[in-house]
Amino acid sequence: MLFKLTTGTVYFRVGWCYLNKAMNRADYLAFPAIVGTTGQYNNLRKMWDGQHYKYHMDRMQKTKQMVDNKAPSTYLHCHLKMKKIQMEQERLMELERDNRLLVSRIARTMGTKGGLDNWNKYQPKPSVSADLRNRELVKISLENQAILKKINMTKSVYDHRTWLDDFKVTRGYVNRLLKYPEQPIPPKQHKMLNLV
């Protein structure tokens, strides 16, 4: 069944509608209400609007989302590190074992008198040549003292002043042979060697 309204350019078919692009009002749904009328056209409009709304809602429920905005999937191995837990348990077990050993040692010590058990009861046998070695040691120490006394009493045969004069003469020869002679050292920076 086809209706044509003379007031607008909208064509209606029962159960479906053809719309003109010029009619883009916000309150327009299926049947344009040019004049507020009551009766069968108003009922027809409600029926078509309900059908279009139901069709629209069915389509909205069947659509698939294009953007994935769900929370990322969580994995157990990212939050719970089993190797770390195992290493911690092994460390705690080792600590408990050491503590048990220490407690048992303390209990054993407290049960006894608490005396020392590290006495060395070994006594060396007297040596046959101990006397001879002691005499040799005394003789060597006396000889060393005599040598040290002789060294301290002797005077040096070398004179550092003559060495310094010879060095100055040699430095003068070297400066005469050089293309660019060295500058003489100022007297206040020159230090005398004290070798006496």
Side-chain angles (χ1 to χ4, degrees), residues 1-142:
M1 176 180 241
L2 189 64
F3 298 98
K4 184 174 181 184
L5 299 174
T6 57
T7 56
T9 57
V10 177
Y11 297 91
F12 288 90
R13 186 183 295 245
V14 175
W16 198 259
C17 71
Y18 299 100
L19 304 174
N20 187 6
K21 289 183 182 178
M23 300 197 66
N24 55 2
R25 287 176 24 190
D27 61 345
Y28 175 79
L29 288 175
F31 193 90
I34 298 164
V35 179
T37 59
T38 59
Q40 66 178 1
Y41 292 118
N42 198 11
N43 294 336
L44 192 62
R45 176 182 174 190
K46 286 181 183 177
M47 182 181 72
W48 285 343
D49 288 345
Q51 287 179 355
H52 283 293
Y53 181 72
K54 185 175 178 291
Y55 176 69
H56 170 71
M57 292 307 289
D58 289 342
R59 284 189 65 199
M60 287 294 110
Q61 288 181 357
K62 291 178 184 174
T63 56
K64 293 181 180 178
Q65 58 184 2
M66 300 301 259
V67 178
D68 183 17
N69 57 358
K70 293 184 288 189
S73 55
T74 58
Y75 300 102
L76 185 63
H77 70 274
C78 293
H79 300 286
L80 190 64
K81 296 187 173 18
M82 299 302 285
K83 183 66 178 176
K84 189 175 180 182
I85 293 171
Q86 179 188 356
M87 290 173 64
E88 186 70 22
Q89 287 178 349
E90 289 174 357
R91 190 178 71 85
L92 290 175
M93 286 171 57
E94 187 176 349
L95 284 175
E96 287 178 8
R97 185 178 61 85
D98 291 344
N99 288 340
R100 279 198 310 272
L101 288 172
L102 186 62
V103 167
S104 67
R105 287 181 192 151
I106 291 172
R108 190 171 61 243
T109 305
M110 293 296 287
T112 61
K113 295 179 182 177
L116 293 175
D117 58 350
N118 59 351
W119 294 108
N120 187 7
K121 296 177 182 174
Y122 171 76
Q123 292 183 357
K125 295 178 182 177
S127 175
V128 177
S129 62
D131 240 4
L132 181 64
R133 276 190 275 119
N134 286 337
R135 277 182 279 162
E136 288 286 329
L137 188 61
V138 169
K139 181 181 173 185
I140 290 171
S141 62
L142 288 174

Side-chain angles (χ1 to χ4, degrees), residues 134-169:
N134 286 337
R135 277 182 279 162
E136 288 286 329
L137 188 61
V138 169
K139 181 181 173 185
I140 290 171
S141 62
L142 288 174
E143 288 175 357
N144 287 341
Q145 287 177 3
I147 292 171
L148 181 64
K149 192 174 183 182
K150 285 181 184 177
I151 290 172
N152 288 334
M153 290 181 69
T154 56
K155 291 191 175 182
S156 175
V157 294
Y158 301 110
D159 189 12
H160 66 278
R161 291 182 184 88
T162 57
W163 287 358
L164 189 60
D165 293 338
D166 290 344
F167 175 74
K168 287 180 182 176
V169 170

